[in-house]
Amino acid sequence: MSFRQNLLRARGHIVMICALIAGLLLVLWLETLGEPEPDSTRNMAQDLMQPFESLSPLPLAIRGESSERDMKHARIAWTYFQNNVDEETGLANSVHNYPSTTMWETGSYIVAVLSAERLGLIDRAEAEARLGRVLSSLQSLRLFQDTLPNKAYQTRTLELVDYGNKPSELGLGWSALDVARIVGTLGLVERNHPELAGEVEKLLNHWQLDQMVQGGELIGTNVTAGEVRRNQEGRVGYEQYAAKAMMLFGYDVYRAYEVEDNLMVKQVEGQPIPVDSRLHRATTPAFVVSEPYLFDGLEFGFDDRSHRFATAIYRAQEARHAETGKLTAVTESHLAEAPYFAYSTVWGGGSPWAVMTFTGERIDSRRTLATKAAFGWDALFGTDYTTQLVDAVEAFADPEKGWPEGIYEETGEVNGSTTANTNAVVLAALAFKATGPLMRVVP
């Protein structure tokens, strides 16, 4: 029989052997050759986060009680709201005797009420009544294009206004960060006053919150020359704080919560500082301040990442004092004179310790030792340095008016503007010392 005939007779066996070899090769390929290519993007993200992963977060300083000094400080802060809440609408002025507010400041008032209740400055019935009036007024607001709250309202009339507190028929648009802020504080209301949960849900169902979430990001609107434009809002710090707030009510803001895609790390006083790689207002390098980390820790409680970021940002300020002798507690602040608002940064506009206007101009002479940063860092970390910060601002409290914004570093003069945000943070900080974050329900 010829070789050709033998092959033909054995063709079934040959096919089976070839199939076994092919299967073996396939398995080997899947196990070895089939390994995915390294993800360079993931590796870069891991490299960016490495300085924070090797950083030991400072322990939290929840004391479990309030001292007499704490209560004195709290009563001064609560005085601001006794003076600045409209009797009919129940909304608080953003600045002393200035009848205008934003959703951010309204959220601050909610935080102030919850904190005052925890500290025993008001009882549960008064807290519920105050919160109920806020919810009622929020329900009756005319929304921007019937969608979401406008950027500013008159506290007495609830009219849509511009930033000069003048009526505006169209409005200014909505701020995604401001709306997220009040959404987060409404989540705190539900946790601490479940009897108001129905009113909270009714309000949030009335607002079209889905319009400010797109592709996992937070979207705000601006009015330019009568044209409404949408834009992504938030930079590292504020963006993650706002994302946490929206997550409380089930919104998918995964891109806003993540940081790696937009993170760069700058060394300031030997500390890794998380800086957003995107520009502020598309023109100015982004800035880093204390505020979003204070709010996150005092209200929600840190997650592991925000705890490490906050530690680095605090330590840089402590280190600046050790190097220069200048008490440093920087954040955004209202100013008593033009331009009326400034960001005192750890990093901003491309350099450390810059002080910037909203439009990106440098005004370093307005660097402020901020009252809210002093109290916030003291509540969270309770170090010898934070004690010095509180001691420094204590002398400038006004028992008849509330806590001022702070002290100008260059002159030592008081930045005498008195605001809802600062006095709310003081209350939240003192409540944190006694009971921890506001999200934690007190038995």
Side-chain angles (χ1 to χ4, degrees), residues 32-43:
T32 58
L33 301 179
E35 291 291 329
E37 291 294 322
D39 187 338
S40 60
T41 302
R42 175 172 291 184
N43 289 340

Side-chain angles (χ1 to χ4, degrees), residues 137-373:
S137 288
L138 292 175
Q139 183 71 37
S140 66
L141 294 178
R142 182 166 74 88
L143 304 178
F144 179 79
Q145 295 189 328
D146 298 320
T147 304
L148 287 166
N150 187 49
K151 290 181 179 178
Y153 287 92
Q154 222 274 9
T155 53
R156 294 172 185 161
T157 66
L158 302 184
E159 292 176 284
L160 279 72
V161 293
D162 60 21
Y163 288 129
N165 208 30
K166 298 187 184 323
S168 172
E169 181 57 32
L170 174 59
L172 299 171
W174 72 73
S175 164
L177 294 181
D178 284 13
V179 174
R181 160 94 167 130
I182 196 167
V183 167
T185 62
L186 291 172
L188 299 178
V189 170
E190 285 197 339
R191 291 279 289 173
N192 290 275
H193 283 268
E195 66 277 7
L196 294 174
E199 293 301 311
V200 170
E201 297 296 334
K202 179 182 176 182
L203 172 64
L204 295 184
N205 287 335
H206 176 56
W207 293 353
Q208 296 183 45
L209 291 171
D210 60 308
Q211 291 296 308
M212 60 176 257
V213 177
Q214 181 178 316
E217 293 185 316
L218 295 166
I219 306 298
T221 57
N222 289 305
V223 177
T224 304
E227 180 182 351
V228 180
R229 299 179 180 177
R230 289 176 172 248
N231 56 280
Q232 180 273 334
E233 271 192 36
R235 295 295 181 261
V236 170
Y238 284 103
E239 191 175 14
Q240 288 68 50
Y241 167 73
K244 274 187 168 182
M246 296 300 292
M247 288 175 181
L248 293 177
F249 291 91
Y251 287 90
D252 186 1
V253 284
Y254 68 97
R255 291 185 66 187
Y257 182 71
E258 292 301 330
V259 298
E260 288 87 349
D261 290 345
N262 303 300
L263 180 68
M264 57 182 177
V265 180
K266 298 294 183 180
Q267 291 291 321
V268 179
E269 310 296 340
Q271 296 297 320
I273 302 302
V275 182
D276 202 297
S277 59
R278 296 166 291 185
L279 296 176
H280 168 63
R281 302 185 77 239
T283 58
T284 307
F287 42 75
V288 178
V289 296
S290 300
E291 188 148 320
Y293 301 98
L294 301 179
F295 287 178
D296 185 23
L298 298 176
E299 296 171 16
F300 299 145
F302 288 133
D303 56 57
D304 182 68
R305 183 181 65 199
S306 64
H307 195 173
R308 293 172 190 272
F309 283 8
T311 295
I313 289 166
Y314 163 75
R315 281 179 170 163
Q317 296 173 72
E318 184 181 53
R320 180 176 183 263
H321 170 255
E323 180 180 340
T324 66
K326 297 175 181 178
L327 288 171
T328 305
V330 292
T331 193
E332 63 175 66
S333 296
H334 198 270
L335 303 178
E337 65 285 312
Y340 300 109
F341 199 86
Y343 298 90
S344 292
T345 73
V346 176
W347 176 277
S351 63
W353 310 118
V355 183
M356 304 173 64
T357 68
F358 182 73
T359 57
E361 299 168 348
R362 289 287 291 266
I363 51 170
D364 288 6
S365 64
R366 300 293 87 184
R367 183 177 296 109
T368 299
L369 167 56
T371 301
K372 58 186 168 184

Side-chain angles (χ1 to χ4, degrees), residues 350-427:
S351 63
W353 310 118
V355 183
M356 304 173 64
T357 68
F358 182 73
T359 57
E361 299 168 348
R362 289 287 291 266
I363 51 170
D364 288 6
S365 64
R366 300 293 87 184
R367 183 177 296 109
T368 299
L369 167 56
T371 301
K372 58 186 168 184
F375 275 95
W377 290 128
D378 185 56
L380 291 166
F381 297 141
T383 66
D384 291 341
Y385 177 63
T386 64
T387 299
Q388 292 183 61
L389 295 175
V390 174
D391 288 346
V393 300
E394 183 177 35
F396 301 101
D398 185 343
E400 303 300 320
K401 190 177 177 181
W403 290 92
E405 289 293 270
I407 308 166
Y408 290 129
E409 178 181 282
E410 186 172 280
T411 65
E413 297 175 351
V414 178
N415 175 359
S417 183
T418 311
T419 68
N421 278 336
T422 283
N423 284 280
V425 172
V426 172
L427 286 164

